[in-house]
Amino acid sequence: MVYWLAAGEVVWSRLKVRTMDTVWTPGQTRQMETFDTVNPATSEVIATFGVHGQAEVDAAVERAHQAAVWWAGLGWKERRTRLLAWKSHLIRYIGRLAELVHTETGKPLGDAQLEIFLAIVHIDWAARNARRVLRPRRVRSGLAAINQASSVEYPPLGVIGVIGPWNYPVFTPMGSLAYALAAGNAVVFKPSELTPAVGGWLVSSFADVVPEYPVLQLVTGAGPTGEALARSAVSKISFTGSAATARKVMAACATNLTPMIAECGGKDAFLVGADADLDAAADAAAWGAVSNAGQTCIGVERVFVEAEVYHTFLEKLTERMSRARPGDDRESAYGPMTCPAQADIVEDHVADALARGGRAVLGGMQSIRRPYVEPVILADVPETSLAVQEETFGPTVTVTKISGLDEGVALANASRYALGATVFARNKKRAMAAARGIRSGMTGINSVIGFATVPALPFGGNGDSGFGRIHGADGLREFTRAKAITRVRMRSPLNLTTLSRTDKDVTRLLSVATLLHGKRYR
Ligand code: NAD
């Protein structure tokens, strides 16, 4: 029986395009609308995929519910073995997958390899830690319930719908896929319509190590396919994308009261203290701003620098960013804008910043040369401008002078986004205070994006950056339902939950309550 589109086959012979007829059961083929995925640098068609509607999505979710029972029944040890086998598969074929990521997103091969390596680190952590984090554990019952044995456990939810973006088509969905699978769920995955081939590759590589049931399935299409998944009988949606889309997904999830995780955009701040290692800070800010053409949810978009070092830092940053050249060749620092419309947004933000009195220290309007955008540094940009308020998602930064880290924290927090942040300062106490003060879900001190490489740490945002957490123990628990169990081990000295309760029982309860909780606290 063929359960899902054999997207992997199309991908192996990369540029061979085939009409995607979906074969759901032997003898039944269906024609459907298709869409192409293209190389953003060359506009070359990579592959063609089916546009899945509600019927196909519902069918995939139904199959997933059966697969979920089998997968959950495999137990921790076998799931761990399968996931580690998947990890090995990915590392063995990292060259092919990286090539595909490069072709579909335009990012340099090295960046694609780094992204896949990080995804592998997460599969490894999720596989090795799922049992420790989620297995049943005893909890203290407390004196009032001393006659009971209490435990909590974290069974899987069932079927998770994962809706992914295109900017990190392996690393980003893996934060949901690996953790949901390790927790014992089946997954129906809808990758971005810009990167379905990478999504298909991941799904077919998983089927190589779990051939028995469609534990991880692919559905393809744009927004309506994602909406169909949110309206289907999934147990939870893990969405990564823009805040605007998250609102639509939430509305669709409301139909069945389906819970969701929202991993949305950011407007990350980067604070530079006067005592910082300015070379290291400029290096980190430059990379954080331009890598992946700035199309990174935790990319550096706003830099705040203490006045004493403002000019020196700006000079160092300009020197580094001016060396970063976009292109499609091996020497280029980053690739094209993956989504053509993103260049328009970058252009709007730069134009608005300049119109409001901002200064282009590096580049300017001429930097937008579709499909590429050259690095842009904007200074003296009013806090009310688009380049400060909205997610730009391009290789641009604003650099603002601050009187101290406190002001930097206040400005960092004056945003509806709160995803990641960076603080550069040598004084540990000052750096930690600033890191704690920023409302972001993650903050790196003296390194940019460092937190994403630590699988044990939770990852997620607040405000318009979303809610819920992927990665780490919190990320595993997101894909489970906490289940509490109490078991009576002896007769209770307090006869309370019975119709035969007497006044004497209540008096005894109040004596115990006074003994336990009556102490006066000041
Ligand atoms: P997007 O919001 O346009 O699309 C994300 C996904 O949602 C795609 O698969 C898309 O097809 C689907 N979708 C679109 N409309 C839908 C609907 N009505 N119902 C259900 N699904 C729908 O985002 P994008 O352009 O693919 O990705 C870029 C955004 O993602 C940026 O804002 C970026 O910051 C964010 N992002 C966040 C993280 C994170 O972990 N917080 C990681 C990567 C990207």
Side-chain angles (χ1 to χ4, degrees):
M1 191 182 285
V2 180
Y3 284 104
W4 56 89
L5 292 176
E9 285 169 22
V10 176
V11 172
W12 293 117
S13 55
R14 232 184 64 208
L15 299 177
K16 234 187 259 166
V17 181
R18 189 180 75 180
T19 310
M20 298 297 284
D21 292 338
T22 315
V23 184
W24 294 112
T25 51
Q28 267 193 352
T29 19
R30 285 182 50 169
Q31 289 288 335
M32 63 170 63
E33 248 185 86
T34 59
F35 68 101
D36 292 337
T37 170
V38 296
N39 179 327
T42 61
S43 300
E44 184 179 26
V45 171
I46 300 167
T48 303
F49 288 83
V51 176
H52 291 165
Q54 193 71 58
E56 288 82 22
V57 170
D58 286 345
V61 172
E62 199 182 316
R63 286 190 300 278
H65 275 290
Q66 289 161 21
V69 174
W70 174 80
W71 180 243
L74 271 191
W76 301 114
K77 202 165 160 236
E78 186 58 24
R79 279 201 301 273
R80 171 188 149 122
T81 305
R82 302 291 186 107
L83 285 165
L84 293 178
W86 191 30
K87 172 195 80 166
S88 313
H89 185 101
L90 259 58
I91 198 76
R92 279 203 309 281
Y93 294 102
I94 193 167
R96 285 187 193 182
L97 181 54
E99 178 72 29
L100 185 60
V101 171
H102 164 69
T103 311
E104 221 174 24
T105 66
K107 72 176 67 177
L109 264 181
D111 284 359
Q113 282 158 346
L114 174 62
E115 164 179 0
I116 299 164
F117 164 71
L118 290 180
I120 286 167
V121 169
H122 282 280
I123 302 177
D124 187 64
W125 194 92
R128 292 183 194 280
N129 288 279
R131 179 171 174 271
R132 178 183 63 77
V133 174
L134 303 175
R135 72 180 162 191
R137 61 181 162 82
R138 294 277 297 269
V139 298
R140 281 174 187 268
S141 298
L143 271 180
I146 198 160
N147 66 317
Q148 309 204 56
S150 305
S151 63
V152 60
E153 51 194 76
Y154 296 89
L157 288 168
V159 177
I160 308 299
V162 173
I163 301 176
W166 44 264
N167 58 341
Y168 290 86
V170 177
F171 175 72
T172 294
M174 197 56 81
S176 300
L177 300 180
Y179 292 80
L181 291 165
N185 301 279
V187 174
V188 177
F189 174 33
K190 192 209 86 64
S192 164
E193 57 275 30
L194 297 180
T195 53
V198 172
W201 197 100
L202 291 176
V203 169
S204 42
S205 65
F206 186 80
D208 279 355
V209 296
V210 183
E212 295 92 334
Y213 281 85
V215 172
L216 173 59
Q217 292 179 79
L218 177 77
V219 290
T220 52
T225 308
E227 189 173 336
L229 190 57
R231 286 191 195 284
S232 74
V234 288
S235 319
K236 188 165 190 170
I237 286 286
S238 186
F239 166 82
T240 308
S242 63
T245 308
R247 289 185 169 87
K248 294 184 196 160
V249 178
M250 242 179 133
C253 280
T255 316
N256 294 324
L257 225 55
T258 302
M260 75 178 275
I261 300 170
E263 294 289 345
C264 306
K267 191 74 198 170
D268 286 10
F270 186 110
L271 273 51
V272 184
D275 62 334
D277 175 340
L278 295 185
D279 286 309
D283 250 9
W287 186 82
V290 307
S291 62
N292 205 28
Q295 304 166 119
T296 304
C297 55
I298 45 173
V300 174
E301 299 220 354
R302 299 177 292 156
V303 179
F304 300 102
V305 191
E306 280 195 315
E308 297 96 298
V309 294
Y310 175 80
H311 290 292
T312 317
F313 175 83
L314 195 55
E315 228 168 72
K316 288 179 186 289
L317 181 68
T318 308
E319 187 268 316
R320 281 158 176 85
M321 278 180 64
S322 61
R323 277 193 270 129
R325 179 183 57 79
D328 192 31
D329 56 287
R330 288 193 91 84
E331 274 70 50
S332 47
Y334 59 91
M337 303 311 285
T338 305
C339 176
Q342 199 61 41
D344 301 344
I345 295 174
V346 178
E347 192 167 43
D348 282 354
H349 287 197
V350 175
D352 177 71
L354 298 178
R356 287 172 190 253
R359 223 163 23 94
V361 177
L362 174 69
M365 295 301 287
Q366 73 282 9
S367 305
I368 293 116
R369 293 188 300 108
R370 292 170 181 80
Y372 298 102
V373 177
E374 285 164 356
V376 178
I377 300 179
L378 298 165
D380 306 328
V381 180
E383 288 296 302
T384 47
S385 62
L386 293 174
V388 177
Q389 292 299 321
E390 306 288 333
E391 186 180 41
T392 306
F393 229 48
T396 69
V397 272
T398 60
V399 184
T400 306
K401 197 187 290 178
I402 49 172
S403 57
L405 289 183
D406 284 352
E407 189 192 359
V409 169
L411 289 172
N413 288 343
S415 168
R416 55 199 172 85
Y417 292 106
L419 191 56
T422 311
V423 178
F424 262 80
R426 282 203 173 92
N427 182 309
K428 189 172 151 194
K429 230 168 141 184
R430 245 163 57 91
M432 282 301 282
R436 290 201 174 103
I438 299 173
R439 198 169 50 97
S440 60
M442 300 81 60
T443 301
I445 296 176
N446 295 336
S447 86
V448 71
I449 307 185
F451 42 79
T453 64
V454 181
L457 284 176
F459 184 103
N462 307 302
D464 267 19
S465 292
F467 51 83
R469 292 293 181 267
I470 53 171
H471 302 174
D474 299 273
L476 281 167
R477 287 195 199 99
E478 283 280 2
F479 300 107
T480 64
R481 59 193 163 90
K483 168 89 180 171
I485 298 178
T486 55
R487 181 177 52 81
V488 170
R489 350 176 250 183
M490 58 179 156
R491 242 180 85 96
S492 169
L494 299 170
N495 197 28
L496 298 171
T497 52
T498 164
L499 294 176
S500 60
R501 186 178 65 205
T502 62
D503 286 351
K504 219 164 130 194
D505 289 321
V506 176
T507 308
R508 211 179 294 156
L509 169 72
L510 293 181
S511 312
V512 173
T514 309
L515 199 70
L516 291 180
H517 304 292
K519 191 176 158 202
R520 198 181 278 265
Y521 283 92
R522 291 178 193 284

